[in-house]
Amino acid sequence: MGGRQRPTIKTVAARAGVGRTTVSRVINGSELVSEQARAAVLAAIAELNYVPNSVARGLVTSRTNSVALVIPESASRLGSEPYFAAVIRGVSTALAETRTQLQLVLVRDQSERDQLTESVAERRVDGVLLVSVHEHDPLPGLLEDMGLPTVLAGRRSPAESLSHVHSDNAGGAAAAVRHLLARGRRTITTISGPLDMDVARSRLQGWREALEKAGHEVTDRLVVSADFTEEGGEAAMRSLLGQVPGLDAVFVASDVMAAGALAELRRQKRGVPDDVAVVGFDDSIIARHCSPPLTSVRQPIEEIGSMIAHILLREIGDPEQPRQHVVLPTELVVRESS
């Protein structure tokens, strides 16, 4: 008959290299799955564009009982970044209390953005959760113009009009800098995330304001931007050591990048924390398994996922709900790297 068969749980399991029970557990938000297996399953779901069959029930009603979790990143980044897995766990936990199905959608290029737009236009989902928001991404505005309930994990800017939930990024970064100053560090550099993202700009702002408040001069040579990847963190640390050979501390805007920074410091025979103190952001599993264990700013990532899901369900149930802008607190967790 031709045509491409829809992927099944069995297809996803084969792609991920796990059993069907493991796939089912990931889909249903079970905690009885290792982080490695969960990452493999999530990447396979995204690559295959797998959607559970039960969402088809909504075709005969005005509701699909389905929402899309949209991540404009690659499948490899989805699998390697603990932040995404934690958000998905939080969303899954919130939706498990309802009969709402979750579709995971990666938007990596214009073709996939067009597919999502078509899905939204045909109302195949009741709402969208959007993670990893870039300032000039047209998708949030497009969803808003189409009148589809949409909630963001993060925001495009402080003027964000859509409902959103994010951590106190500036406050967390400032706490990291105050900690480094209290440890006697004098030349505190930073590796920021991509500056087209509010999360990166806010963490950079917190770093800058804390140093200025302490009477330190802040110059551009103390800052290198990267892309929230381990490789980006390595390259940024290499650049900082070239620009500021005497640096004695670095605040890194994510644990993944901090792992790369630690690798580069080892390569250049800089002791941590004796020569250079390092602080990351997220307090992910990576922080606990770095060598030395990484001081990091903890943010409540699963709570972000749970909260954006609850807000979206309320907006689907009542489109006249006022938009919600929620900021969650952070906490500095001190370990051996500083």
Side-chain angles (χ1 to χ4, degrees):
M1 297 291 292
R4 185 178 175 185
Q5 288 188 327
R6 285 184 56 181
T8 64
I9 280 186
K10 184 177 180 181
T11 316
V12 173
R15 176 67 62 90
V18 300
R20 280 177 283 183
T21 301
T22 299
V23 175
S24 180
R25 284 174 175 166
V26 171
I27 291 170
N28 291 296
S30 171
E31 297 293 325
L32 303 176
V33 183
S34 71
E35 289 297 328
Q36 183 178 2
R38 189 185 307 277
V41 170
L42 293 174
I45 287 172
E47 289 169 11
L48 295 168
N49 197 26
Y50 170 73
V51 180
N53 286 333
S54 54
V55 301
R57 287 185 306 220
L59 293 177
V60 295
T61 70
S62 59
R63 291 261 181 92
T64 65
N65 291 322
S66 175
V67 299
L69 175 59
V70 179
I71 303 177
E73 301 288 352
S74 67
S76 61
R77 174 120 196 269
L78 176 66
S80 64
E81 173 59 77
Y83 174 84
F84 297 124
V87 169
I88 292 167
R89 281 199 303 275
V91 171
S92 297
T93 298
L95 295 183
E97 304 164 5
T98 73
R99 299 185 66 181
T100 305
Q101 293 286 340
L102 179 64
Q103 298 183 36
L104 181 62
V105 181
L106 294 190
V107 177
R108 293 160 287 195
D109 54 32
Q110 187 60 47
S111 172
E112 290 179 340
R113 181 176 284 108
D114 291 343
Q115 289 176 27
L116 176 63
T117 303
E118 179 184 342
S119 179
V120 168
E122 295 179 1
R123 286 300 193 264
R124 296 178 202 159
V125 294
D126 297 326
V128 169
L129 300 166
L130 187 57
V131 181
S132 193
V133 185
H134 294 258
E135 183 177 21
H136 300 299
D137 187 342
L139 192 54
L142 181 63
L143 294 170
E144 188 172 23
D145 291 343
M146 297 175 77
L148 189 76
T150 302
V151 181
L152 313 181
R155 60 186 186 180
R156 287 168 287 180
S157 75
E160 181 59 66
S161 57
L162 291 166
S163 290
H164 60 276
V165 180
H166 64 96
S167 297
D168 181 8
N169 291 300
V177 172
R178 289 194 297 270
H179 163 74
L180 291 167
L181 290 168
R183 289 287 200 265
R185 305 295 165 152
R186 310 314 301 163
T187 307
I188 302 173
T189 59
T190 187
I191 298 173
S192 83
L195 295 180
D196 68 337
M197 300 182 74
D198 178 81
V199 59
R201 294 194 302 272
S202 294
R203 291 175 190 176
L204 181 61
Q205 174 190 348
W207 168 84
R208 185 185 307 278
E209 290 179 352
L211 284 178
E212 290 175 344
K213 189 172 182 179
H216 287 245
E217 183 182 3
V218 177
T219 64
D220 289 345
R221 72 190 185 97
L222 300 176
V223 182
V224 174
S225 296
D227 58 359
F228 283 136
T229 67
E230 186 173 354
E231 296 77 14
E234 282 190 51
M237 191 72 250
R238 191 156 50 248
S239 294
L240 279 176
L241 290 168
Q243 293 170 193
V244 193
L247 67 89
D248 60 6
V250 56
F251 164 62
V252 190
S254 80
D255 290 347
V256 173
M257 292 196 300
L262 288 171
E264 184 61 29
L265 288 167
R266 280 193 299 273
R267 192 173 294 113
Q268 299 209 24
K269 304 295 191 290
R270 300 289 187 102
V272 177
D274 293 345
D275 299 325
V276 181
V278 181
V279 178
F281 204 112
D282 287 333
D283 192 38
S284 65
I285 191 171
I286 290 173
R288 299 188 288 280
H289 291 281
C290 280
S291 180
L294 181 68
T295 295
S296 186
V297 179
R298 176 179 295 162
Q299 60 169 336
I301 303 173
E302 285 194 42
E303 186 178 349
I304 290 173
S306 176
M307 192 167 287
I308 60 174
H310 283 301
I311 292 172
L312 182 63
L313 291 174
R314 284 196 291 271
E315 293 192 2
I316 290 170
D318 178 8
E320 300 305 314
Q321 281 272 334
R323 300 281 171 81
Q324 296 189 51
H325 303 160
V326 181
V327 182
L328 298 177
T330 57
E331 173 190 2
L332 185 69
V333 180
V334 179
R335 297 191 181 90
E336 288 88 331
S337 71
S338 63

